[in-house]
Amino acid sequence: MTFDGDAALTAERDYLRRARDDLRRMREHTLSLTAQGGDAVSEGYLQSALDRRARALVDDPSVPLFFGRIDVGEQEPESFHIGRRHVMDGAGDPVVVDWRADVSRAFYRATRRDPHGVTLRRRFGFARGEITSYEDEHLRDTAEADVTSRILTEEIERPRVGPMRDIVATIQPDQDEVVRADLDRTVCVQGAPGTGKTAVGLHRAAYLLHAHRRRLARSGVLVVGPNRAFLHYIGQVLPALGEVDVRQVTVAQLVESVPVRRLDPPEVAALKGDARLAEVVRRAVWGHLRETSEPLVVPRGTRRWRIPAHDLAEAVEAMRARGDTYGVGRSLLPQRLAHLVLLRMEDAGVITDDRIQDAVARSRPVRDHVETVWPAVDPVRLIMRLLGEPEYLDEVAGDLLEPSERRLLRWDRPARGPRAAPWSHADAVLVDEARGAVERTETVGHVVLDEAQDLSPMELRAVGRRAATGSATVLGDIAQGTTPWATASWTEALRHLGTQDAHVEVLRKGYRVPAAVVALAARLLPSIAPSVAPPEPVRTNPGRLDVVRVDDGPGIAAAVVRVVADVSTREGSIGIIAADAVVGSLRRAFVHAGLTTGAPDDEDDPRLMLVPATLSKGLEFDHVVVVEPAQIVVAEPRGLRRLYVVLTRAVSSLTIVHAEPLPAVLTDSGV
């Protein structure tokens, strides 16, 4: 039920004005504070914290401070206004409750069957930050019929231009289950297009930062996405929720340690991403250990202390058996050897202490012995040697890889040095693997990994090392796996990630992609992912689907311009998606027609965006124009999967423009 212009609406508008005043006072108070930490470092840290707090309290007048309200209790119900941030009055009492607070859970979970103590749930309609209407649900009133919320529906279907927005006003119960999963629990979300899996992952990060602020302030949260265009699209969600310190990177940026200057052929990249390469790298690292038949002789004062070679070998084996990285074992070995020396000194009646052991560990004979049996390993030069020296690769991987595979791995020219080497992204991942075997990888408290189905086993291992002491939210859709090495199952992907015990949650309800588009895209599923069910559209608007046939192939660009001009009369963002090879000619056609098109990573977020098919994953547009689906399909080995991704970027309407025949999987079903 919707009410407008009554006393309750006036009261809620007054409440919103008071809340904005209270938020302004909170920020003014924060800005008035002076960092006093006793020293320059402490004061700098405190001032930085105050600055972050002040930024988080900036009020955006175009965004409502609260979007809902719940009344809890039967006799004297207590009201809570639910919003994007916590706001309190001068006495410290809550005026707006953060959507992540425990009391807010009932706003998302309450139903007539299980009201969670809620007697009334109120949703607010807004325009330019001002309340325009509200709807009430009396959850204890059995006579009141269940009605789909118009405000909720309009918010989900609201046209959008620019980056992804938060969904705090529209989180559904199945999504909220994932968002509020405990920090120590790794969750894998399988979600078809439009189910909100990316938003759920980002909101889980925001929730965990709220619920475990101190713990995650120390260890951090990391968001890993497929490309920079995707990160640009999602980049404002967490800051809008007050979380401004979350690092967001691509996998390439995550492993960035060598200058990548070339792209491997698909078959080479797939082989370098194979899990067997982890064993190759491990063998190469630990293969540096050397045996020696020489004893260790350490002069100390007027005496010389001798450790036999077999005792030294046992010490090396004991250090290796600890399970530490190669570098940690190397750093601990001197103390282990010094301990053996001290045992002989004590047997001879010499009084020892920790200072003597440290001196022995630093002595030249001990250091020389460590250098002989456990030499230092440079991860970059190790991978250079593996890829650049055929004999060495044969020695390390002769029983793991076929001769033809070893030939594929070899660089086609020798490397004169790390900076001049022909590094690819897959090589950088191998360097990261080697570095992880040599030294401990810096970990974070929580990792959000999106489009995880597209990562190779070696890339998954790289991400998993960052989450080794924390947890993860793994997001993806098996049907949208477009890389040659895309995972076939979440069980396999989670094993490579090192999170085999993760809970897999399937989001089935499609909130964004309309029914007409879902029905079309679902025709591809039997061919690309028979085990994946299409989403269940819940929107009242079925969307619009148009197919435009162009008789003149060379005239396709002009036809696209005409179609886009027509679509531009509709409200919302527009994405023109085509095979990468034809994006340039389309852009020239738009320039000739006087139309300006942006790119996915443009800072100004234009309404009209021209998108290469390979960069479309994760993006959404109100209206999508797909150019020549057949060209998208033939452009890459998993072209049908790419087409599935492209078709499901539409939120309101989808227009297909083609001169070439459509793929048979679409035409066989009557398109």
Side-chain angles (χ1 to χ4, degrees):
M1 295 178 288
T2 304
F3 303 86
D4 200 348
D6 60 9
L9 185 63
T10 300
E12 296 289 8
R13 286 171 172 166
D14 290 340
Y15 193 91
L16 176 59
R17 282 191 287 272
R18 293 198 302 273
R20 291 199 185 280
D21 288 341
D22 287 325
L23 179 62
R24 176 180 49 78
R25 281 192 289 269
M26 289 172 64
R27 187 166 190 271
E28 289 173 350
H29 174 70
T30 299
L31 292 172
S32 71
L33 298 176
T34 302
Q36 296 180 346
D39 59 76
V41 174
S42 298
E43 288 183 0
Y45 178 82
L46 290 173
Q47 187 60 54
S48 177
L50 289 173
D51 291 343
R52 289 196 301 272
R53 172 67 172 165
R55 290 199 304 272
L57 291 173
V58 172
D59 185 15
D60 182 352
S62 67
V63 178
L65 278 184
F66 54 80
F67 47 81
R69 169 186 144 186
I70 52 175
D71 292 356
V72 181
E74 289 282 359
Q75 301 302 322
E76 297 182 4
E78 186 175 6
S79 295
F80 299 94
H81 285 74
I82 314 299
R84 287 168 173 78
R85 70 187 75 200
H86 173 75
V87 180
M88 62 184 180
D89 61 19
D93 294 325
V95 176
V96 179
V97 178
D98 193 300
W99 67 274
R100 299 168 289 189
D102 284 342
V103 71
S104 302
R105 186 190 307 260
F107 178 79
Y108 299 107
R109 303 278 186 90
T111 62
R112 293 190 190 281
R113 181 176 299 176
D114 184 8
H116 287 259
V118 175
T119 57
L120 173 100
R121 173 166 51 205
R122 175 170 290 176
R123 299 183 190 273
F124 297 101
F126 284 86
R128 295 179 294 279
E130 292 297 327
I131 301 176
T132 57
S133 61
Y134 68 89
E135 292 176 340
D136 283 348
E137 294 176 83
H138 299 86
L139 298 180
R140 298 296 180 89
D141 186 352
T142 57
E144 186 176 287
D146 286 322
V147 178
T148 301
S149 168
R150 179 184 61 81
I151 288 176
L152 183 63
T153 299
E154 289 178 350
E155 175 61 23
I156 291 175
E157 300 182 2
R158 178 161 58 100
R160 57 191 62 201
V161 174
M164 175 186 281
R165 300 191 301 260
D166 67 70
I167 62 166
V168 291
T170 62
I171 293 175
Q172 298 300 293
D174 59 331
Q175 298 172 328
D176 194 60
E177 290 280 355
V178 178
V179 168
R180 295 178 190 269
D182 192 69
L183 175 59
D184 296 324
R185 187 183 188 191
T186 289
V187 178
C188 174
V189 181
Q190 159 65 37
T195 54
K197 57 184 176 294
T198 295
V200 165
L202 294 174
H203 285 68
R204 186 185 184 204
Y207 169 77
L208 293 176
L209 283 163
H210 171 83
H212 305 276
R213 179 70 61 187
R214 290 186 178 180
R215 180 173 166 184
L216 290 179
R218 295 190 302 269
S219 57
V221 172
L222 177 68
V223 175
V224 182
N227 52 59
R228 295 187 180 185
F230 176 85
L231 291 180
H232 174 72
Y233 178 62
I234 69 170
Q236 294 306 309
V237 174
L238 288 171
L241 298 174
E243 305 301 342
V244 295
D245 292 328
V246 176
R247 184 183 173 207
Q248 302 187 35
V249 298
T250 65
V251 177
Q253 292 172 317
L254 190 68
V255 301
E256 193 174 46
S257 62
V258 292
V260 174
R261 51 173 52 93
R262 72 185 180 99
L263 188 66
D264 281 322
E267 65 276 12
V268 176
L271 179 58
K272 289 179 179 178
D274 191 297
R276 290 176 295 167
L277 269 293
E279 175 60 17
V280 172
V281 171
R282 189 196 68 80
R283 287 182 183 183
V285 169
W286 288 96
H288 283 74
L289 293 185
R290 295 289 180 263
E291 295 181 0
T292 179
S293 59
E294 297 295 323
L296 171 64
V297 179
V298 180
R300 184 72 185 172
T302 60
R303 302 188 61 174
R304 294 163 61 88
W305 305 95
R306 182 178 183 276
I307 309 298
H310 68 272
D311 286 347
L312 297 173
E314 289 178 1
V316 169
E317 184 56 35
M319 295 307 302
R320 181 173 182 172
R322 286 168 54 95
D324 287 319
T325 64
Y326 182 93
V328 169
R330 171 181 158 83
S331 67
L332 295 178
L333 183 58
Q335 288 289 338
R336 181 81 177 193
L337 299 181
H339 177 67
L340 294 178
V341 174
L342 260 65
L343 289 178
R344 280 156 176 76
M345 295 173 66
E346 291 169 355
D347 288 343
V350 177
I351 298 175
T352 64
D353 57 24
D354 290 344
R355 289 176 301 173
I356 294 176
Q357 179 164 332
D358 289 341
V360 172
R362 293 193 303 269
S363 68
R364 174 57 64 87
V366 169
R367 288 188 285 119
D368 287 348
H369 184 81
V370 170
E371 196 61 44
T372 298
V373 301
W374 204 310
V377 172
D378 181 341
V380 174
R381 293 190 178 276
L382 175 72
I383 300 303
M384 285 180 61
R385 189 181 176 200
L386 271 176
L387 301 178
E389 298 181 17
E391 298 81 4
Y392 183 53
L393 181 60
D394 292 344
E395 173 192 338
V396 174
D399 62 330
L400 280 176
L401 304 175
E402 296 295 329
S404 60
E405 292 177 315
R406 299 199 296 276
R407 285 193 295 272
L408 274 180
L409 288 178
R410 296 170 190 164
W411 283 341
D412 55 9
R413 65 180 186 274
R416 295 187 297 273
R419 297 203 62 81
W423 298 108
S424 67
H425 165 67
D427 297 336
V429 176
L430 293 178
V431 172
D432 192 77
E433 181 74 27
R435 180 165 282 111
V438 171
E439 60 193 47
R440 289 173 179 167
T441 302
E442 183 178 354
T443 61
V444 298
H446 192 76
V447 174
V448 178
L449 173 60
D450 209 344
E451 303 296 349
Q453 78 283 343
D454 271 338
L455 270 59
S456 71
M458 296 299 287
E459 288 174 321
L460 288 167
R461 287 176 59 85
V463 176
R465 283 190 289 276
R466 274 73 180 178
T469 59
S471 59
T473 303
V474 183
L475 311 167
D477 178 13
I478 296 297
Q480 294 186 64
T482 54
T483 58
W485 46 84
T487 187
S489 73
W490 288 120
T491 300
E492 175 188 346
L494 294 171
R495 177 170 57 83
H496 296 310
L497 198 63
T499 55
Q500 296 95 316
D501 58 345
H503 168 70
V504 179
E505 183 76 23
V506 180
L507 296 181
R508 301 188 184 278
K509 295 181 179 179
Y511 300 101
R512 295 292 296 158
V513 183
V517 176
V518 168
L520 175 67
R523 298 174 186 175
L524 300 173
L525 288 176
S527 300
I528 63 175
S531 63
V532 176
E536 303 168 5
V538 299
R539 295 178 50 178
T540 57
N541 181 357
R544 177 173 174 175
L545 173 63
D546 297 303
V547 179
V548 178
R549 174 68 184 269
V550 180
D551 294 330
D552 178 18
I556 188 74
V560 172
V561 170
R562 290 194 299 271
V563 168
V564 170
D566 177 62
V567 174
S568 296
T569 62
R570 308 170 194 168
E571 184 181 6
S573 59
I574 303 169
I576 305 104
I577 309 178
D580 295 29
V582 301
V583 166
S585 61
L586 286 175
R587 191 176 302 279
R588 289 190 292 273
F590 280 108
V591 171
H592 181 73
L595 294 175
T596 301
T597 58
D601 55 354
D602 283 354
E603 292 295 329
D604 55 355
D605 299 308
R607 178 181 181 233
L608 188 61
M609 194 175 294
L610 184 55
V611 184
T614 57
L615 293 183
S616 63
K617 191 170 294 183
L619 306 181
E620 285 184 345
F621 304 94
D622 291 291
H623 311 285
V624 168
V625 178
V626 176
V627 183
E628 292 290 19
Q631 293 183 7
I632 294 173
V633 172
V634 301
E636 52 188 312
R638 295 196 172 197
L640 279 178
R641 287 174 177 254
R642 182 70 68 189
L643 180 59
Y644 179 76
V645 172
V646 168
L647 295 176
T648 53
R649 299 308 93 200
V651 172
S652 295
S653 75
L654 171 65
T655 304
I656 298 174
V657 184
H658 71 103
E660 298 181 19
L662 293 174
V665 289
L666 296 181
T667 57
D668 289 348
S669 301
V671 174

